[in-house]
Amino acid sequence: MDEKTVVAGMSISEWKEKYPLMHKVINLEEAFWTNGKYESFEDAIKKVEIGMDDVKDAEERLKRFAPYIAKVFPATRESGGIIESPTVRIPKMKTEVETFYNTQIKGELLLKCDSHLAISGSIKARGGIYEVLKHAEELAMEAGLLSVEDDYSKLDSDDFRNFFSGYSIAVGSTGNLGLSIGIMSAQLGFKVYVHMSADAKQWKKDLLRSKGVTVVEYESDYSIAVEEGRKQSEGDPKMYFVDDENSKNLFMGYAVAASRLKGQLDDLGVKVDSEHPLFVYLPCGVGGGPGGVAFGLKLMFKDNVHCFFAEPTHSPCMLIGLMSGLHDKVCVQDFGIDNKTAADGLAVGRASGFVGKVLENLISGSYSVKDETMYMMLSKMIDSESIRLEPSALAGVPGAAMLLGDALGQEYIRARGLENLMDNSSHIAWATGGSMVPADIMDEYYSTGKRLLEEL
C-alpha cells in the first residue's frame, strides 16, 4: 500500500501515525483495540434515540407470532414457538485457548450457541426472521386480516399465503441473513429475492433455491449485493427491502437476545453484577447482529457488561470505522485490504454507520482474527467440546485470551477497577452459525484446522 495514498483526507502514513494500530491492521495481523470513547451506561444511553421500550415491543411481537412459528416449524414446538439457543460452559475449550495463546483466562468461558438457533441455524434467525414477521404483521393489519388479539397460527393458511404472494421481499447477504429472510419469507408466502455476494457458500444458495427463493449471484462483495437489492426494491411499491446496513427492525430483533440470556445465566448460576463482570465477544460483519445484541446487553446489564466485536483480519471494517469515528465513510479496500475471508458472514468491507453511531460510546472495543486462527479454533472446538461451528462463529472464542493478553486489554481492565474482580468474571463467546453446514463441508473445515495446527 502506497504510504501517500489519501483516505478521508489523510495519507496512509498519517493514518498510521494517528492510529498506530493501523500498522497491524494494514499488514493483516491480529489486532486488539479498546474504545477511547467508551462511557458509563448512564451517560452513553442519553445519546441514543432507541431504548428498552423498543426492545420490549419486539419481544411482544415475537410472542404474538410464537403460535404460528410452533405450528410451521416443528423444531420450535418444544419451546412454544420461541426461537432461542442454549448457553453452555466450555471448560475444555477454555484450556485449549489458554494453551494456544499462552495466556490464563481468569473467570469461566461460555458459548452462546446461536449456531444452533432453529429455522436458519445462525444469529440471523433473530433479526432476519423478526423483520420479516414485523413486515407481515403490518401488511396483514393494514388489510384488516389480523389484529393483536388474534391467534397468529391462523397465518398458516392458503388465504394468508395467497395474500402475501402479492408482495415481495429482497435482501443483500453474504449468506446467513439471506437464509433467515429467505426461509421465513417463503414460508409465509412472499416472493423472495436474495442478492448474494461472491463470499456466499454454494450450499446456502442451494438451500434457498430448494425453498423456492430466487437467488441472484454477484462476483463482487457484500456492498454490491446490498446495493443491487436496494435498487430492485426501489422500483416496486410491493417489494420490501431488508436493509442490513441501516435496519432498526433487524437491530431490535437481535436486541431481544439479552433478556433471554439473563434468564439462562440465572439458571446456570452465573452472576452478573458490580462484583461479577461479564465480557462478551461478538463476531461482526456489517454490525447489525452483534450491534443489536450488544445494545440489548448494555440495556440489561449496564456497566457490568463489556462487549467486544470480532472480525477477520481481511475485513476489519467495524474496527477501522469505530477507531477513526468515520464509520461507513471508509472501507477496508481504501487501505489495500482485500475483504476476502473464509468467514463468509463477516466478509464486509464497510461497516453500518447506523450501528457504529448507536454504539459509539457503548462498545468496549474490537479485535481482528486470522482465518487460520478461526479454522484452528474450529477443530479444537470439535475435539474438546464436540460442538461444530462454521469458521466465522469461532471469531469470538479467542476474545478472552486477547483481552487478558494484550496491553490495551489489560489497561482497559485497570482503568475500570476490574483487575481484582477478574477471577469472578464470565466470558461469553457468541457462536453465530454452523448447525446447518453440510457434514462434508464441516469435515473439510475440520481437516483444514487440523492441518494448520500440525504446521504450527
Side-chain angles (χ1 to χ4, degrees):
M1 187 73 187
D2 188 341
E3 296 286 304
K4 294 179 181 177
T5 299
V6 175
V7 179
M10 289 192 296
S11 68
I12 295 297
S13 59
E14 288 171 327
W15 270 88
K16 289 178 178 177
E17 186 176 346
K18 187 172 182 180
Y19 307 106
L21 206 61
M22 288 301 292
H23 286 272
K24 282 187 171 182
V25 171
I26 289 172
N27 289 334
L28 306 180
E29 297 172 34
E30 295 188 344
F32 190 91
W33 170 79
T34 55
N35 184 10
K37 295 180 182 177
Y38 181 78
E39 296 178 357
S40 70
F41 175 79
E42 189 178 338
D43 290 335
I45 200 65
K46 291 174 185 172
K47 302 175 183 178
V48 182
E49 293 180 359
I50 50 179
M52 187 60 86
D53 287 346
D54 298 286
V55 180
K56 286 180 177 174
D57 179 58
E59 283 184 308
E60 290 304 312
R61 184 168 289 105
L62 288 169
K63 286 177 186 173
R64 292 198 293 274
F65 271 99
Y68 169 75
I69 297 293
K71 188 176 180 184
V72 299
F73 295 109
T76 69
R77 284 177 191 163
E78 195 175 322
S79 62
I82 297 297
I83 305 165
E84 195 43 74
S85 70
T87 300
V88 298
R89 290 184 167 92
I90 47 170
K92 294 175 185 172
M93 188 63 191
K94 177 190 170 188
T95 302
E96 293 288 348
V97 175
E98 288 176 323
T99 303
F100 188 86
Y101 280 92
N102 193 26
T103 300
Q104 182 190 2
I105 298 174
K106 294 183 178 181
E108 64 176 342
L109 183 61
L110 300 98
L111 191 73
K112 178 58 175 167
C113 300
D114 273 7
S115 46
H116 291 67
L117 279 170
I119 304 177
S120 65
S122 83
I123 189 173
K124 302 298 186 179
R126 296 187 185 279
I129 287 173
Y130 172 74
E131 179 148 2
V132 172
L133 296 178
K134 186 172 188 289
H135 179 57
E137 183 185 62
E138 288 170 350
L139 288 176
M141 285 182 174
E142 284 170 12
L145 300 174
L146 189 67
S147 74
V148 291
E149 291 81 23
D150 287 344
D151 175 351
Y152 277 31
S153 63
K154 68 187 279 187
L155 274 76
D156 181 34
S157 69
D158 289 340
D159 286 346
F160 272 99
R161 281 186 286 274
N162 290 335
F163 170 71
F164 290 128
S165 70
Y167 297 88
S168 304
I169 291 179
V171 65
S173 173
T174 58
N176 285 343
L177 182 64
L179 282 182
S180 69
I181 298 291
I183 292 169
M184 190 69 251
S185 300
Q187 180 66 46
L188 282 159
F190 288 102
K191 295 185 179 74
V192 203
Y193 299 86
V194 178
H195 298 258
M196 297 189 105
S197 62
D199 316 279
K201 304 299 184 192
Q202 188 61 46
W203 69 267
K204 296 182 181 180
K205 299 172 190 173
D206 294 342
L207 178 58
L208 281 169
R209 288 183 172 123
S210 75
K211 304 285 184 184
V213 174
T214 299
V215 177
V216 187
E217 300 183 57
Y218 299 91
E219 292 185 7
S220 45
D221 74 359
Y222 165 85
S223 295
I224 299 299
V226 172
E227 185 183 326
E228 291 300 319
R230 190 180 285 116
K231 276 183 194 172
Q232 182 191 17
S233 61
E234 283 170 356
D236 184 349
K238 288 196 168 186
M239 180 175 286
Y240 180 82
F241 178 63
V242 178
D243 189 346
D244 195 16
E245 295 177 328
N246 301 293
S247 173
K248 177 183 169 184
N249 291 329
L250 281 177
F251 195 79
M252 286 303 129
Y254 296 123
V256 170
S259 61
R260 298 174 179 179
L261 176 68
K262 184 182 185 307
Q264 292 181 335
L265 294 180
D266 289 345
D267 291 344
L268 288 167
V270 175
K271 291 183 180 177
V272 182
D273 55 32
S274 59
E275 299 294 312
H276 300 81
L278 174 64
F279 297 85
V280 183
Y281 311 94
L282 297 144
C284 181
V286 75
V293 170
F295 183 71
L297 290 170
K298 293 301 289 188
L299 288 173
M300 183 61 57
F301 299 114
K302 301 180 171 58
D303 293 328
N304 300 321
V305 67
H306 309 268
C307 300
F308 293 85
F309 288 151
E311 300 180 282
T313 53
H314 285 259
S315 307
C317 63
M318 188 60 80
L319 193 161
I320 295 171
L322 285 166
M323 182 168 64
S324 66
L326 292 171
H327 304 297
D328 56 342
K329 300 295 187 290
V330 289
C331 66
V332 301
Q333 291 92 337
D334 292 338
F335 301 92
I337 301 170
D338 62 11
N339 191 35
K340 292 181 180 175
T341 170
D344 59 324
L346 312 182
V348 179
R350 190 183 302 274
S352 164
F354 164 68
V355 173
K357 287 163 192 169
V358 168
L359 291 176
E360 198 160 33
N361 307 114
L362 290 164
I363 197 76
S364 295
S366 186
Y367 64 89
S368 59
V369 185
K370 290 181 178 179
D371 281 18
E372 292 84 355
T373 302
M374 287 183 264
Y375 275 122
M376 288 187 279
M377 292 291 131
L378 183 152
S379 295
K380 286 178 175 292
M381 185 68 80
I382 292 173
D383 286 343
S384 64
E385 303 285 354
S386 299
I387 299 172
R388 297 171 184 271
L389 307 173
E390 62 186 2
S392 57
L394 277 300
V397 172
M402 294 182 76
L403 169 72
L404 292 159
D406 188 274
L408 283 174
Q410 292 166 3
E411 175 54 32
Y412 177 91
I413 291 167
R414 280 194 301 273
R416 279 148 197 87
L418 301 173
E419 61 265 55
N420 295 324
L421 301 175
M422 294 308 291
D423 285 333
N424 303 333
S425 68
S426 300
H427 303 267
I428 297 178
W430 211 278
T432 46
S435 63
M436 295 184 77
V437 175
D440 59 331
I441 294 173
M442 184 59 75
D443 289 344
E444 287 176 22
Y445 291 159
Y446 176 78
S447 298
T448 300
K450 295 295 279 187
R451 175 178 54 78
L452 288 166
L453 285 165
E454 289 168 6
E455 291 172 0
L456 272 184

